[in-house]
Amino acid sequence: MSGTMTVVIPTYNESKNVVNMAKAIREAYPDFKVLFMDDNSTDGTIELVRELNDPLTTIYVRDPAKRGLGASVLEGFAIADTDYAMCMDCDFQHPISSLKDLFGKMEEGADLCVGVRTSRMSMGFKRAMGSEVVEAFCKLFFILHRKYTTKDMMSGLFALRCDTFRDEIRNNWDSFELRGWKVLMDLMKFNEKTLKISYIRYVFGTRAEGESHLNPKVPIMTFHQLWEFGKFLAKFFCKVYHVDYYEMYPWEKKSKS
């Protein structure tokens, strides 16, 4: 019997992309559910999804006090009522055609299937090179802590078996980098199970419409995921980017005092 799939898509002010994305997925994969996890968009994103009136396309409006890309994706995985769930961006940088390959790997018995970018140059040379360096650094720390790594630790396109990860998400919720962007890294960080990991390769495209939400806090949050030394690096980059570390992580200031 074929398994079922939910496509989890975090959104915040994606009115220029959200309808085209929903229609593209539903036309290509009529049995897939599409779940937009929205961080209280103010540009009409929420209304546009609801106006589609598609029973398999829903938008979940999250608590505004708990905003964050990581939180959106993880909560989407937790509430998905299908055998598998996958995440992707709403800006068409992840090709719709690759979803069938992710689904195929899950049907073959994978616990996790990661989309590996053939190149990151669509991000721009400087950002692509920075991404490669940070990834290598992160992998080193995961190896030192005897944790699983994947071929693309920074990938935002991956699928998982819901039963395998649901308890992990629930039990470690307060320890996840909920405002961070590297959800796959967090799942690997807290995973204690033996996993069957598969891969697909895809071409990472350019954003179709709208503006990227990338900002200096993203690399800070990525380093913050790397245990205690990572937190030291996060503090260092906060000084570089003139960001208040304890404004980002006020509970650490309380525990320090």
Side-chain angles (χ1 to χ4, degrees):
M1 182 179 293
S2 178
T4 52
M5 175 68 78
T6 297
V7 183
V8 177
I9 306 174
T11 53
Y12 179 66
N13 290 346
E14 289 285 0
S15 61
K16 293 182 179 180
N17 292 316
V18 69
V19 171
N20 290 335
M21 174 60 71
K23 289 182 176 180
I25 295 175
R26 294 287 294 117
E27 288 175 6
Y29 311 98
D31 295 328
F32 285 12
K33 293 184 176 182
V34 180
L35 175 60
F36 292 102
M37 299 296 293
D38 191 80
D39 268 348
N40 294 264
S41 293
T42 58
D43 68 342
T45 294
I46 298 167
E47 292 74 19
L48 286 169
V49 174
R50 289 173 174 166
E51 288 170 5
L52 290 171
N53 198 28
D54 178 358
L56 294 185
T57 300
T58 57
I59 188 161
Y60 182 94
V61 183
R62 303 186 62 256
D63 184 343
K66 299 178 181 178
R67 179 175 292 172
L69 186 144
S72 295
V73 174
L74 290 166
E75 188 171 4
F77 288 159
I79 66 177
D81 59 357
T82 48
D83 299 304
Y84 323 127
M86 66 172 71
C87 71
M88 65 182 300
D89 292 340
C90 195
D91 55 12
F92 286 93
Q93 289 185 296
H94 298 142
I96 301 295
S97 59
S98 64
L99 303 191
K100 69 177 183 298
D101 297 322
L102 286 169
F103 181 71
K105 293 294 185 180
M106 300 310 298
E107 289 285 80
E108 292 172 6
D111 294 305
L112 174 72
C113 182
V114 180
V116 180
R117 291 165 285 189
T118 56
S119 173
R120 307 185 192 195
M121 287 305 167
S122 62
M123 302 161 63
F125 179 80
K126 183 178 179 180
R127 184 180 162 194
M129 291 299 99
S131 177
E132 294 279 5
V133 170
V134 171
E135 169 137 5
F137 189 80
C138 291
K139 282 183 177 179
L140 173 62
F141 270 78
F142 269 68
I143 292 170
L144 291 174
H145 284 81
R146 299 182 180 181
K147 295 291 184 179
Y148 277 100
T149 63
T150 69
K151 293 179 181 179
D152 191 340
M153 292 286 285
M154 305 292 180
S155 181
L157 177 67
F158 62 93
L160 51 76
R161 190 173 297 274
C162 292
D163 287 348
T164 301
F165 286 93
R166 192 171 282 119
D167 286 344
E168 175 184 323
I169 293 171
R170 181 176 62 249
N171 296 336
N172 296 288
W173 183 263
D174 291 335
S175 299
F176 285 123
E177 192 75 22
L178 297 174
R179 289 177 296 169
W181 286 34
K182 310 306 176 186
V183 180
L184 179 59
M185 267 182 50
D186 251 358
L187 288 172
M188 294 293 94
K189 178 180 178 180
F190 292 102
N191 173 67
E192 299 295 340
K193 300 175 182 177
T194 299
L195 298 176
K196 180 180 178 181
I197 304 177
S198 297
Y199 299 95
I200 66 162
R201 297 186 70 82
Y202 74 97
V203 177
F204 188 67
T206 55
R207 170 174 271 271
E209 296 284 351
E211 297 180 356
S212 172
H213 302 301
L214 185 68
N215 61 69
K217 290 185 179 181
V218 174
I220 292 169
M221 291 184 288
T222 302
F223 284 120
H224 191 263
Q225 292 176 254
L226 301 177
W227 294 274
E228 290 306 314
F229 186 67
K231 291 179 181 179
F232 169 80
L233 290 175
K235 291 177 182 177
F236 171 78
F237 280 98
C238 276
K239 293 181 179 179
V240 172
Y241 291 117
H242 304 290
V243 173
D244 187 337
Y245 178 86
Y246 288 112
E247 182 180 349
M248 292 181 65
Y249 304 104
W251 56 89
E252 291 188 20
K253 185 175 183 178
K254 292 179 182 178
S255 62
K256 183 179 179 181
S257 60

